[in-house]
Amino acid sequence: MNHLIISQTCVCEYCNTVVALLSMTGKEFTLKYEFENVGELEHSQSLSSPEEEYFGVKWKIRIHKWNEILNLFLHTNLSVNQEIQFDYTTKIFSKNKKKISLESGSGVMKVSDQSFFCDLIDWKTMEEEYLNDGKLEVEFHVKITEMIGFPKEELRSFGEEMKQFSDVVLKIEDRKFYISKLYLASQSPYFATLFMGKFQESEKSEIELKDVNPDDFQCFLEVIYAEDAIDDDTVERILQIADMYETPLAIKKCEKFLIKKSKMELKKKLELTEKYGLEESKKAYQKPI
């Protein structure tokens, strides 16, 4: 664990009331929050930022006064048998943004210990150098190195962290997918009509999709974004969505998997071949596999 104070000229405007996403590369994200009325905290009192969800986990920052020390914590909502290992960097900004209290290190979060203590600063120093009219600006960058006990890992994220790269949100049940209209339309006549046609949906920034499972749709999107999401457990569900949304690329990839890699029984392969009109599969199955 490394802790130091550095000087830096700030060239950015920071949000005063929300946790913000700064960057996302792989499993990385940054929480940022400006706490208010920090100077009024008494011994053993705390303030927390709003929760934000990344990679299926809810995260928040908490500051805590213990005697004359300011403590900084990271909180999650892990469930039984789940564990997250991560690297982190924390920043506490001075009132004139020219000085930063900086700490970096590694941590482990488990259900038995859902808060991670990572930073502290003398309360008097905090008041004199960092507190700005009762407000304290804190940043927490997390790089996840391993997630244990979670469902099958998503190969590509379409969550809120991709908002800056998207121009439409597809809502399925209680889950939202942030995607590019142009890219999805280029793969699917169905979505081309939905996004570019003369329908009310074409003007909406959020569109709800019916009769589809959000986990299956995640796999479908991964396939058309060139991820290797097809296996014997997912191929039928991906075919169903690809057929529903008229997506030749996804259908072709599923067909190739069935011919070359699938360990399914021949009867099941023939069933899928017939149901979805897989011409190459029909030819392949006329010969011994």
Side-chain angles (χ1 to χ4, degrees), residues 105-205:
S106 300
V108 178
M109 197 84 74
K110 298 181 179 180
V111 64
S112 59
D113 182 18
Q114 293 182 323
S115 64
F116 177 74
F117 169 77
C118 62
D119 202 356
L120 54 84
I121 188 171
D122 178 76
W123 191 263
K124 184 176 181 181
T125 300
M126 184 276 298
E127 287 185 315
E128 293 178 351
E129 300 182 19
Y130 294 89
L131 205 60
N132 185 16
D133 193 25
K135 299 176 182 179
L136 186 69
E137 188 172 5
V138 177
E139 181 179 296
F140 209 128
H141 183 79
V142 176
K143 181 178 181 180
I144 297 173
T145 55
E146 188 170 1
M147 299 179 73
I148 300 170
F150 287 81
K152 182 179 178 181
E153 182 177 351
E154 293 180 357
L155 301 177
R156 180 184 288 263
S157 174
F158 299 95
E160 189 173 356
E161 60 271 17
M162 301 305 293
K163 184 175 182 179
Q164 60 181 315
F165 306 114
S166 73
D167 54 6
V168 70
V169 178
L170 298 179
K171 186 175 185 296
I172 302 175
E173 296 177 4
D174 60 349
R175 188 168 172 183
K176 294 183 178 182
F177 296 86
Y178 292 78
I179 57 94
S180 162
K181 283 184 178 180
L182 186 61
Y183 184 77
L184 198 53
S186 72
Q187 301 296 327
S188 163
Y190 175 93
F191 285 111
T193 301
L194 185 67
F195 297 148
M196 314 298 181
K198 297 179 179 180
F199 296 98
Q200 286 184 336
E201 285 80 3
S202 65
E203 304 297 325
K204 295 180 179 179
S205 60

Side-chain angles (χ1 to χ4, degrees), residues 48-113:
S48 296
S49 70
E51 287 185 330
E52 288 288 323
E53 184 170 332
Y54 300 104
F55 309 108
V57 178
K58 292 181 179 179
W59 308 77
K60 67 179 179 180
I61 305 170
R62 181 169 66 91
I63 60 172
H64 178 77
K65 183 178 182 181
W66 185 259
N67 292 327
E68 294 304 311
I69 298 294
L70 173 75
N71 298 320
L72 180 63
F73 292 85
L74 180 67
H75 282 264
T76 62
N77 68 330
L78 301 187
S79 58
V80 177
N81 298 324
Q82 290 184 331
E83 177 181 314
I84 295 179
Q85 300 174 13
F86 59 95
D87 299 326
Y88 69 88
T89 300
T90 65
K91 297 178 182 179
I92 303 176
F93 296 88
S94 66
K95 60 180 68 179
N96 56 13
K97 303 290 178 64
K98 292 183 179 180
K99 183 185 292 185
I100 300 174
S101 174
L102 177 69
E103 179 183 321
S104 61
S106 300
V108 178
M109 197 84 74
K110 298 181 179 180
V111 64
S112 59
D113 182 18

Side-chain angles (χ1 to χ4, degrees), residues 37-55:
N37 303 317
V38 176
E40 299 177 11
L41 287 177
E42 298 182 358
H43 170 66
S44 196
Q45 288 187 330
S46 301
L47 291 173
S48 296
S49 70
E51 287 185 330
E52 288 288 323
E53 184 170 332
Y54 300 104
F55 309 108

